């Protein structure tokens, strides 16, 4: 099983290395990180916190753009070019193909977020003389959320084209971060358990302004991650398995 | 051990989409491919060939029917692991080199790294791509991609190979090479299911053929039996300025290419015709059962309103 999933994931990662969008987004975001210290309303004593908060936001946006560009296109492109025929005829299951594709995107996200966090650490250290280790906690949470987003995008992309995938994923992102706003009224509170929330991955406050993310919270984030990814990919496999190629 | 290399029984596929009428692409197709043979799958566009192959390969969900490769259900991934497949007009990730592509598909086929390293140069040489191992696929011509498609289908020494239009995009030399390759595979005991529009290719290499038309099997059998014309023999003779009158009154489809008389006669008149040629001072080159060209057979089959095999 792993012998078939790994080559697919590796192919996604190798393919992403030649995609200009990854480098362009990374460079652009890095330039923005360099510009953070020049923000005009920097208050004395909170520079580090503001830097961390903006850096986390940039990490998030960078990750989202790259995750969407990779996860939304991969499967539709392989179906359109029929390269998937060669893969599935080798005895690869459709679920192995989808999971391999998702793992490849997850791998690229890991590399991207690690590279970006290193840049943030270096800029933070050179500017404030402080090694901001807590940024790694934020990076980990961002990576997990991007993993969920990628799983959703890969699942949707198994039955439709990139435009619909991007639209659906952004809608899911909005709903995932607006549960309390959308269903905060007394009449709608009972519906909350049915709406998955991505707020579990929002660690901006403890990373930027507090004392970091507790270990037990990290574990609970992992549980949410595996739960949501499992549901997304299961639905994707179900839909993809019924599709005529 | 399965008695058939490939067995398709009662295949049916109905495509249905919301708001559109149902479309039956395959109504009832059964195919049995004997081990170690080359079996041709023929039919006009829309006959159901590709859909049948896709159902066999698990790419399309059948509405009905069973699909087996070496006795295993080929709609399940595990049933396809001893199978090599060349899709029609194969596409590959173009940023890879030929060697990288072979490594990728080899790993999916379960061939270990050492095996891929050993097989890659041999297979690429076998399909005429020995010099292109390190060339990026974006620089490959249509024919080179086709050759690579054949090479990747043979990774892992599959026992059964399905080739969908293998000669498509190849020049005449390439087409000849593919024919030789298929004959080599058969000699090595590999079963080949060949879907092709090129009737000359099918006629040259196939042991048996199945002809599909409008989603059903229109004819199936040994290619020699299908093409032999009952009660007619073909005669080739030389050394005569004209056909003796006793032969001329019997002969049909007379042609004289390069001074050799070629004509067909009723089989029961063979003895008389041979004696007459002897008496006229001619030389018998060959007497054989009359064989229709596959093109003629195919055209007659498709022209018949009910799609039954021509008699």
């Amino acid at each position: 099983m792993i012998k078939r999933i790994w080559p697919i994931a590796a192919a996604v990662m190798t393919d992403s290395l030649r995609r200009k969008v990854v480098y362009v987004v990374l460079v652009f975001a890095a330039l923005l990180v360099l510009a953070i210290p020049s923000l005009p309303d920097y208050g004395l004593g909170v520079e580090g916190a503001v830097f961390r908060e903006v850096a986390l936001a940039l990490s998030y946006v960078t990750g989202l753009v790259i995750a969407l560009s990779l996860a939304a296109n991969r499967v539709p492109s392989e179906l359109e070019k029929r390269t998937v025929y060669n893969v599935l005829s080798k005895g690869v299951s459709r679920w192995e193909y989808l999971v391999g594709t998702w793992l490849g995107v997850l791998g690229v996200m890991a590399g991207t977020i690690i590279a970006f966090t290193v840049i943030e650490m270096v800029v933070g250290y050179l500017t404030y003389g402080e090694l901001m280790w807590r940024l790694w906690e934020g990076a980990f949470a961002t990576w997990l959320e991007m993993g969920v987003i990628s799983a959703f995008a890969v699942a949707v992309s198994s039955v439709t084209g990139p435009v619909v995938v991007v639209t659906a994923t952004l809608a899911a992102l909005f709903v995932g971060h607006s549960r309390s706003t959308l269903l905060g009224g007394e009449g709608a509170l009972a519906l909350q358990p049915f709406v998955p929330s991505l707020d579990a991955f929002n660690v901006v406050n403890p990373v930027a302004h507090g004392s970091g993310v507790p270990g037990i919270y990290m574990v609970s984030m992992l549980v949410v991650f595996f739960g949501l990814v499992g549901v997304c990919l299961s639905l994707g496999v179900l839909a993809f398995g019924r599709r005529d190629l | 051990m399965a008695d058939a290399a490939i067995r398709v029984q009662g295949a049916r596929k109905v495509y249905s989409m919301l708001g559109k009428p149902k479309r039956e692409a395959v109504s009832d197709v059964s195919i049995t491919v004997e081990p170690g043979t080359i079996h041709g799958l023929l039919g006009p566009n829309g006959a159901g060939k590709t859909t049948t192959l896709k159902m066999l390969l698990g790419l399309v969900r059948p509405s009905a029917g069973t699909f087996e490769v070496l006795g295993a259900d080929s709609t399940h991934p595990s049933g396809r692991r001893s199978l090599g497949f060349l899709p029609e007009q194969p596409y590959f990730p173009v940023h890879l080199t030929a060697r990288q592509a072979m490594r990728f598909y080899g790993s999916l086929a379960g061939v270990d790294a050492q095996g891929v390293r050993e097989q890659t140069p041999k297979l690429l040489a076998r399909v005429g791509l020995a010099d292109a191992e390190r060339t990026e696929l974006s620089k490959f011509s249509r024919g080179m991609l086709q050759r690579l498609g054949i090479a990747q289908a043979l990774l892992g020494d599959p026992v059964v190979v399905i080739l969908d239009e293998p000669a498509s995009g190849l020049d005449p030399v390439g087409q000849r090479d593919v024919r030789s390759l298929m004959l080599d595979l058969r000699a090595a005991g590999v079963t080949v299911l060949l879907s092709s529009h090129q009737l000359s290719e099918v006629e040259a290499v196939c042991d048996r053929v199945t002809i599909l038309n409008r989603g059903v099997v229109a004819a199936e059998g040994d290619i020699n039996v299908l093409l032999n014309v009952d009660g007619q023999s073909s005669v080739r003779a030389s050394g005569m300025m004209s056909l003796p009158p006793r032969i001329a009154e019997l002969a049909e489809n007379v042609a004289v290419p390069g001074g050799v008389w070629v004509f067909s006669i009723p089989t029961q008149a063979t003895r008389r015709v041979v004696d007459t040629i002897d008496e006229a001072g001619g030389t018998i080159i060959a007497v054989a059962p009359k064989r229709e060209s596959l093109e003629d057979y195919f055209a007659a089959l498709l022209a018949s309103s009910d799609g039954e095999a021509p008699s």
Side-chain angles (χ1 to χ4, degrees), chain B residues 39-110:
Chain B
H39 193 110
L41 189 59
L42 289 169
N45 291 336
K49 302 188 301 290
T50 300
T51 305
T52 302
L53 287 185
K54 282 184 170 181
M55 287 193 279
L56 181 64
L57 291 158
L59 298 171
V60 161
R61 278 160 43 96
S63 304
T66 57
F67 302 82
E68 292 177 2
V69 172
L70 300 173
D73 183 352
S74 67
T75 60
H76 288 207
S78 58
R80 300 193 290 269
R81 295 204 176 120
S82 47
L83 183 133
F85 173 55
L86 166 73
E88 185 180 2
Q89 295 185 351
Y91 288 85
F92 301 97
V94 291
H95 62 281
L96 300 178
T97 64
R99 179 194 281 183
Q100 288 169 332
M102 292 293 278
R103 191 187 304 152
F104 174 58
Y105 293 112
S107 59
L108 292 179

Side-chain angles (χ1 to χ4, degrees), chain A residues 71-220:
Chain A
N73 282 307
R74 180 75 188 183
V75 176
S77 159
E78 290 234 284
L79 290 174
E80 189 190 338
K81 292 176 183 165
R82 293 182 287 178
T83 47
V84 73
Y85 289 5
N86 288 327
V87 174
L88 296 180
S89 66
K90 298 274 183 222
V92 175
S93 305
R94 293 190 185 197
W95 77 263
E96 289 171 331
Y97 173 72
L98 278 194
V99 170
T101 301
W102 172 73
L103 281 175
V105 177
L106 198 65
V108 176
M109 294 311 307
T112 306
I113 290 175
I114 287 171
F116 199 68
T117 306
V118 167
I119 294 170
E120 291 169 348
M121 292 271 294
V122 170
V123 173
Y125 180 74
L126 293 177
T127 311
Y128 308 109
E130 178 192 352
L131 276 171
M132 300 177 176
W133 293 110
R134 266 184 277 155
L135 284 173
W136 288 106
E137 295 168 355
F140 181 62
T142 302
W143 181 63
L144 292 182
E145 182 168 346
M146 291 310 132
V148 175
I149 294 295
S150 306
F152 182 85
V154 166
V156 177
S157 74
S158 66
V159 288
T160 186
V163 175
V164 177
V165 177
V166 171
T167 309
T169 307
L170 290 176
L173 200 65
F174 173 75
V175 171
H177 280 296
S178 313
R179 186 169 69 169
S180 54
T181 314
L182 293 174
L183 303 173
E186 282 184 13
L189 272 177
L191 296 174
Q192 281 205 357
F194 297 102
V195 179
S197 173
L198 295 170
D199 287 336
F201 304 109
N202 185 350
V203 294
V204 173
N205 272 331
V207 169
H209 306 289
S211 55
V213 183
I216 188 70
Y217 190 82
M218 292 282 197
V219 174
S220 66

Side-chain angles (χ1 to χ4, degrees), chain B residues 114-195:
Chain B
Q114 178 65 24
V116 172
R117 272 196 296 276
E118 287 172 7
Q119 289 188 24
T120 295
K122 288 179 192 167
L123 286 173
L124 290 179
R126 197 171 179 185
V127 297
L129 292 176
D131 300 332
E133 201 173 325
R134 293 168 189 272
T135 307
E136 202 170 81
L137 302 188
S138 59
K139 298 186 176 71
F140 269 35
S141 67
R142 169 88 185 76
M144 290 168 83
L145 288 173
Q146 189 76 9
R147 288 166 186 267
L148 180 67
I150 296 170
Q152 66 79 28
L154 299 179
L155 274 164
D157 299 320
V159 186
V160 175
V161 176
I162 297 175
L163 305 174
D164 195 357
E165 302 289 351
S168 170
L170 296 179
D171 56 27
V173 175
Q175 292 178 12
R176 187 199 60 198
D177 291 347
V178 168
R179 286 177 197 173
S180 302
L181 179 71
M182 286 189 279
L183 294 172
D184 289 347
L185 288 172
R186 181 177 65 184
V190 175
T191 306
V192 179
L193 177 58
L194 165 68
S195 173

